């Protein structure tokens, strides 16, 4: 979700196999660099593999270009990577959030074969995505400060995952401003 | 006499030498020197920039030092274009290892793989060897800080202090005299600068002619850091060690 010169990215912590909960500390939100984060929902193995492949590509980019990737560029990279597997896709839906040039917040999501969807307010993915759309739509306000953004995102996350039996077992919220990063489990 | 045996890499001479490889090392002997010193808490890399013209566009990127991964760097002496290819190969190899094993590549393994590539060009394919010598500096959890030197033949070995490029023999013998075990990074920097100033062709050391980089563990987080010295810091270091004055007339 986008706020005033900041963004928040959040996920639940459950890892399950249909009705069985296997872990309650599963990491779904990953850091690419200080001002760029990606959240991946879907099949756990694809979440981890996709993240590792993205780190590979980003590290080489950093070494060759001697700078961090811009969020828009990174989103294009993710989209291309997903489309490579068009006929045998990664079962993953990414949510990308970052601060671009001049610390302008950038968010986008895509489907599992790389169709980008840019948004100015919020993006969601996962089994509770329909509830999340509803909760975010009603709770979102433009230009929220980091503390208010944090509250809004937490409330939206809790409200939606509580109504979804496959989501929950803890939450993780990250708020990123140009000067600091706030994590809350 | 032995001229007949030097045009192809893939044959030995009657004396049992590979001329192309030796000629490659000759090419490196004409390039700017690079020195490295292993300290107890890090590795110091120093390089001499051969071409300093006012017209040169000073970009951010270094000419002699390259980062290969977050825990590994190298200094280069020889043909720059050959070096670029090998450095790219090294970077890819390091990342592929990290992707497969989810841990940083051990320094020796990276050096070995790069040397295997270089060796290939001395045995088959009919292509000339790479005209580059490397000084690899890095840290891994198995052996801590390490320094390796490799040459066009594909040979490599671990060193406590090493020099490649122009006047490397002189630099190496000077390092042998003055090196002691258990140096700190600061002492290693001072030693490297002192040796380089004595073996460099030019009369005075200025910040534009040198590049300095260090590989060390960040005090707070314990993460490996590769840091290139900025020109201002370089100037201060030279002034501190009293090396920025031109050499006295004989």
């Amino acid at each position: 979700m986008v706020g005033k010169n900041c963004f928040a990215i959040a996920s639940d912590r459950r890892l399950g196999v249909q009705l069985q909960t296997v872990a309650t500390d599963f990491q779904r939100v990953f850091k690419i660099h200080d001002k760029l984060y990606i959240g991946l929902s879907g099949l756990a193995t694809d979440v981890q593999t996709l993240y590792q492949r993205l780190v590979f590509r980003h590290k080489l980019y950093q070494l060759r270009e001697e700078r961090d990737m811009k969020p828009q560029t990174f989103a294009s990279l993710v989209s291309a990577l997903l489309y490579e597997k068009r006929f045998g896709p990664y079962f993953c839906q990414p949510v990308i959030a970052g601060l671009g040039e001049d610390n302008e917040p950038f968010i986008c999501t895509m489907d599992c074969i790389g169709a980008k969807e840019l948004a100015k307010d919020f993006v969601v993915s996962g089994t509770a995505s329909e509830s999340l759309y509803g909760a975010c739509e009603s709770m979102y306000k433009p230009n929220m400060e980091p503390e208010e953004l944090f509250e809004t995102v937490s409330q939206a996350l809790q409200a939606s995952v509580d109504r979804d039996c496959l989501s929950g077992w803890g939450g993780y919220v990250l708020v990123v401003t140009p000067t600091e990063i706030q994590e809350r489990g | 006499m032995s001229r007949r045996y030097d045009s192809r890499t893939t044959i030995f001479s009657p004396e049992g030498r590979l001329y192309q490889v030796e000629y490659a090392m000759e090419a490196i002997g004409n390039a700017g020197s690079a020195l490295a010193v292993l300290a107890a808490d890090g590795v110091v890399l120093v390089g001499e920039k051969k071409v300093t013209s006012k017209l040169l566009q000073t970009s951010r990127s270094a000419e002699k030092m390259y980062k290969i991964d977050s825990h590994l760097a190298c200094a280069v002496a020889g043909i720059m274009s050959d070096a670029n290819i090998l450095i790219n190969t090294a970077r890819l190899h390091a990342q592929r290892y990290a992707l497969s094993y989810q841990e940083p590549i051990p320094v020796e393994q990276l050096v070995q793989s790069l040397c295997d590539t270089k060796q290939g060009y001395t045995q088959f394919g009919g292509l000339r060897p790479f005209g580059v010598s490397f000084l690899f500096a890095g840290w891994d959890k198995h052996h801590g800080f390490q320094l390796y030197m490799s040459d066009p033949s594909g040979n490599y070995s671990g060193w406590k202090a090493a020099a490649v490029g122009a006047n490397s023999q002189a630099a190496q013998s000077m390092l042998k005299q003055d090196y002691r075990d258990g140096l700190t990074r600061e002492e290693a920097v001072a030693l490297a600068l002192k040796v380089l100033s004595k073996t460099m062709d030019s009369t005075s050391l200025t910040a534009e002619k040198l590049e300095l980089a260090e590989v060390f563990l960040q005090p707070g987080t314990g993460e490996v850091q590769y840091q290139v010295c900025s020109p201002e810091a370089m100037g201060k270091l030279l002034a501190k060690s009293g090396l920025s004055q031109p050499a006295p007339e004989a």
Side-chain angles (χ1 to χ4, degrees):
Chain A
M1 199 182 272
V2 168
K4 189 166 184 196
N5 294 326
C6 65
F7 68 85
I9 182 167
S11 75
D12 71 333
R13 304 288 295 214
R14 181 180 179 272
L15 174 66
V17 178
Q18 295 183 323
L19 53 85
Q20 158 124 59
T21 301
V22 169
T24 55
D25 58 356
F26 189 67
Q27 190 189 5
R28 248 179 220 106
V29 173
F30 301 100
K31 177 167 136 168
I32 301 290
H33 64 75
D34 281 338
K35 294 187 180 166
L36 180 57
Y37 285 77
I38 180 167
L40 289 158
S41 63
L43 194 63
T45 177
D46 285 347
V47 164
Q48 288 175 337
T49 304
L50 198 58
Y51 167 63
Q52 288 165 8
R53 284 193 65 192
L54 287 166
V55 163
F56 177 99
R57 297 292 295 264
H58 184 252
K59 270 195 160 178
L60 282 172
Y61 185 95
Q62 266 182 331
L63 283 168
R64 287 180 183 141
E65 305 215 8
E66 294 180 14
R67 62 188 177 93
D68 289 332
M69 235 192 236
K70 285 197 287 231
Q72 294 86 346
T73 315
F74 184 71
S76 299
L77 173 66
V78 179
S79 175
L81 224 61
L82 290 172
Y83 196 81
E84 267 173 27
K85 304 278 182 206
R86 172 66 177 77
F87 300 109
Y90 288 111
F91 294 113
C92 245
Q93 243 195 320
V95 156
I96 295 163
L99 291 173
E101 312 263 279
D102 301 326
N103 292 320
E104 192 60 42
F106 170 87
I107 52 171
C108 87
T109 185
M110 29 191 110
D111 65 5
C112 61
I113 44 177
K116 261 190 280 187
E117 185 208 313
L118 306 173
K120 294 207 171 61
D121 40 15
F122 57 85
V123 286
V124 302
S125 79
T127 50
S129 55
E130 280 150 6
S131 305
L132 278 166
Y133 272 123
C136 289
E137 191 72 59
S138 51
M139 297 190 201
Y140 176 79
K141 285 190 334 263
N143 285 326
M144 281 185 279
E145 292 293 330
E147 300 76 28
E148 206 194 340
L149 182 66
F150 173 77
E151 282 302 321
T152 309
V153 167
S154 313
Q155 294 293 346
L157 185 71
Q158 276 187 317
S160 327
V161 306
D162 280 349
R163 273 286 173 190
D164 177 20
C165 56
L166 296 177
S167 306
W169 281 103
Y172 173 84
V173 184
L174 191 76
V175 180
V176 179
T177 65
T179 46
E180 56 156 3
I181 298 165
Q182 239 187 55
E183 278 179 47
R184 223 64 79 78
Chain B
M1 179 221 11
S2 30
R3 277 283 163 190
R4 280 183 278 151
Y5 300 101
D6 57 15
S7 55
R8 286 170 51 190
T9 49
T10 49
I11 46 177
F12 280 107
S13 77
E15 297 93 48
R17 294 154 69 177
L18 289 168
Y19 279 110
Q20 280 301 308
V21 174
E22 292 185 16
Y23 295 161
M25 304 211 218
E26 268 297 310
I28 295 166
N30 297 328
S33 24
L35 261 179
V37 181
L38 186 66
D41 56 343
V43 193
V44 172
L45 293 163
V46 187
E48 170 206 357
K49 289 201 258 206
K50 254 295 159 102
V51 187
T52 42
S53 153
K54 265 197 311 193
L55 292 174
L56 257 185
Q57 182 86 295
T58 45
S59 59
R60 257 189 317 155
S61 30
E63 185 188 303
K64 304 279 301 174
M65 322 278 166
Y66 295 91
K67 185 167 156 184
I68 297 184
D69 197 355
S70 15
H71 62 296
L72 253 177
C74 70
V76 160
I79 303 176
M80 289 316 302
S81 43
D82 287 3
N84 281 330
I85 303 284
L86 284 170
I87 286 165
N88 203 34
T89 312
R91 286 172 172 167
L92 277 168
H93 189 83
Q95 288 311 308
R96 283 198 202 110
Y97 185 99
L99 183 62
S100 300
Y101 301 106
Q102 289 299 301
E103 55 169 52
I105 187 167
V107 187
E108 183 161 359
Q109 288 214 24
L110 187 282
V111 177
Q112 205 158 36
S113 91
L114 214 66
C115 288
D116 286 346
T117 309
K118 291 210 248 186
Q119 189 276 345
Y121 286 76
T122 67
Q123 196 170 27
F124 48 81
L127 303 166
R128 68 162 174 83
F130 288 99
V132 208
S133 275
F134 284 102
L135 288 169
F136 290 101
W139 183 93
D140 62 41
K141 65 181 186 196
H142 308 284
H143 299 295
F145 289 106
Q146 296 152 74
L147 172 64
Y148 293 93
M149 177 164 81
S150 81
D151 59 27
S153 64
N155 274 326
Y156 75 91
S157 38
W159 291 85
K160 294 182 187 173
V164 289
N167 301 322
S168 56
Q169 298 274 51
Q172 193 83 21
S173 44
M174 234 181 273
L175 284 169
K176 192 164 152 186
Q177 277 178 329
D178 295 337
Y179 181 84
R180 309 176 322 268
D181 282 318
L183 284 172
T184 64
R185 250 190 307 138
E186 270 188 57
E187 292 169 342
V189 169
L191 171 62
L193 288 175
K194 184 177 87 171
V195 172
L196 198 63
S197 69
K198 296 224 178 97
T199 58
M200 258 169 78
D201 289 332
S202 43
T203 44
S204 70
L205 276 186
T206 58
E208 301 99 50
K209 293 200 189 133
L210 291 183
E211 258 174 42
L212 171 72
E214 297 175 65
V215 179
F216 57 95
L217 291 177
Q218 185 84 295
T221 59
E223 270 173 46
V224 193
Q225 275 273 69
Y226 163 74
Q227 208 173 58
V228 182
C229 202
S230 66
E232 304 82 42
M234 188 82 229
K236 285 199 209 129
L237 266 175
L238 286 173
K240 199 168 81 163
S241 48
L243 289 167
S244 45
Q245 288 90 20
E249 301 301 299

